[in-house]
Amino acid sequence: MLSSTSTSTTNPVESSSFRVTSKKPQNVEVKADGQNIVFGDVKHPYRIPVIKDKLKQREWMLNEMAGAFRIFGRAGFNEGSAGHISVRDPVDPDTFWINPLAVHFSLLRPEDMVHVDKNGTYIGGNRTTINRAGFRIHSAIHEARPDVNCACHVHSVAGKAFSALGRPLDILNQDACFFYNNQSLYSSFGGVVLDNVEGVEIAKALGPTNRTIILQNHGLLTCGSNVGEACYLMTIMEKSCDIQLRIDAVQASGKYNRILIGDDEARFTYEMVGDPSTLHSAFCSEYEYEVRLSNGELKSIAEFHED
């Protein structure tokens, strides 16, 4: 019998940790569309483009999808045939794009992606094989969460190590605030996900609103309304796993205590920088670097702005 746990964490309190309570969050109004950290009288070049034409939207999303894979490749996330990104098709939202099986992340281009429906039937794009486990997981998430346009799953080193602990991340630094009330734990491992049941259980554990989930004894999965949002959450989640493992190793000496960020401060930080637009902007910092190195295989975000 499969079991799953959906956990929306604040900060689990441990006897060996101190909670920060000395600072009241600033009295700042939460702005929409990623404007909380933007300062200046010009449009931010890394804003989410407003694209009217659905085919142009597809081109933008596939470019960012390929760029996300190259970011993952540079971060060392490639692991043989494991790891996948899926993107809901803006033309036919009941279908999605996914990467070809076992192609190194750093080699992927927009034209390499495979277009399938919820049954795995080939529709278009690159006619080649895809990862069955990846399809099972991603199809279930896209079916359960209409708000999710992109989902990322990798077998990264720190993510796999931390997943074996069977617990959510603690809010130990500013970047970890991205996961405040925004992470789930799938506390079951049934082997490689080859049937529909396991994929559905993972989607159920993710819950109705969370964008990140730790798959126990497996790895990390993130999602979002756009590619950049899901990709950046993955890179920062992997780093947060690594940082917590390091902190816990130091704390084991008995010489130091772990200092947790308080709920008010964590909530404030999440509200200021955890929105889809701000996360997309952060992603573009790495994406544009990949564009510069791609020899024309990827397009800059500037080519998709219509305003």
Side-chain angles (χ1 to χ4, degrees):
M1 180 74 178
L2 291 174
S3 63
S4 63
T5 302
S6 182
T7 309
S8 298
T9 68
T10 52
N11 247 326
V13 180
E14 301 176 2
S15 59
S16 56
S17 300
F18 291 122
R19 184 186 299 276
V20 175
T21 56
S22 59
K23 187 95 172 180
K24 184 178 179 180
Q26 304 149 61
N27 184 22
V28 179
E29 180 185 358
V30 179
K31 298 180 181 178
D33 300 324
Q35 295 300 305
N36 293 309
I37 64 170
V38 174
F39 188 74
D41 58 359
V42 295
K43 290 183 178 180
H44 184 32
Y46 292 167
R47 66 192 182 279
I48 296 175
V50 178
I51 306 171
K52 297 178 181 179
D53 183 77
K54 297 295 183 182
L55 291 175
K56 192 71 173 179
Q57 283 185 31
R58 176 191 285 173
E59 182 185 6
W60 163 62
M61 295 175 76
L62 289 176
N63 264 269
E64 291 203 344
M65 182 181 182
F69 274 118
R70 295 187 183 205
I71 291 169
F72 287 175
R74 193 173 299 282
F77 294 173
N78 191 80
E79 190 65 57
S81 60
H84 358 90
I85 297 176
S86 63
V87 173
R88 189 186 300 275
D89 185 58
V91 178
D92 184 359
D94 291 329
T95 68
F96 62 90
W97 297 79
I98 195 166
N99 52 300
L101 178 66
V103 178
H104 195 286
F105 291 172
S106 298
L107 297 175
L108 285 167
R109 305 164 299 169
E111 58 265 36
D112 292 321
M113 308 309 172
V114 185
H115 190 189
V116 297
D117 66 14
K118 62 182 179 181
N119 299 312
T121 304
Y122 172 82
I123 296 175
N126 183 15
R127 192 175 185 88
T128 187
T129 54
I130 61 175
N131 187 303
R132 180 183 295 185
F135 169 76
R136 297 299 185 200
I137 296 170
H138 290 252
S139 61
I141 290 173
H142 285 294
E143 181 76 14
R145 291 281 299 273
D147 61 309
V148 169
N149 290 324
C150 178
C152 305
H153 170 55
V154 298
H155 291 196
S156 53
V157 174
K160 284 188 291 187
F162 192 83
S163 74
L165 302 178
R167 57 166 298 158
L169 285 162
D170 293 330
I171 312 303
L172 290 165
N173 56 67
Q174 178 173 304
D175 291 339
C177 293
F178 287 121
F179 310 109
Y180 180 81
N181 277 343
N182 185 35
Q183 58 176 320
S184 300
L185 172 67
Y186 181 58
S187 57
S188 176
F189 177 70
V192 179
V193 184
L194 298 181
D195 65 17
N196 293 327
V197 175
E198 185 89 349
V200 169
E201 290 294 321
I202 290 172
K204 186 186 299 183
L206 178 64
T209 60
N210 284 351
R211 291 176 287 171
T212 68
I213 182 169
I214 295 171
L215 309 179
Q216 186 173 298
N217 303 111
H218 188 170
L220 308 177
L221 188 147
T222 61
C223 57
S225 60
N226 65 78
V227 176
E229 176 185 1
C231 173
Y232 188 72
L233 282 172
M234 177 60 75
T235 58
I236 208 69
M237 194 175 200
E238 166 70 6
K239 291 176 181 177
S240 295
C241 288
D242 182 40
I243 289 167
Q244 183 159 337
L245 290 169
R246 295 185 189 210
I247 291 172
D248 289 349
V250 171
Q251 186 198 20
S253 69
K255 297 180 180 179
Y256 307 96
N257 290 294
R258 299 160 83 251
I259 301 176
L260 297 170
I261 293 177
D263 287 335
D264 289 342
E265 293 81 8
R267 184 183 302 107
F268 170 78
T269 304
Y270 177 80
E271 291 175 349
M272 289 296 111
V273 298
D275 62 281
S277 295
T278 301
L279 292 170
H280 178 268
S281 173
F283 157 80
C284 284
S285 174
E286 295 288 340
Y287 173 74
E288 291 296 329
Y289 179 67
E290 296 298 338
V291 171
R292 181 71 64 88
L293 298 177
S294 73
N295 293 317
E297 291 181 337
L298 301 176
K299 291 185 177 181
S300 169
I301 186 69
E303 298 187 45
F304 294 100
H305 288 305
E306 297 178 352
D307 56 344

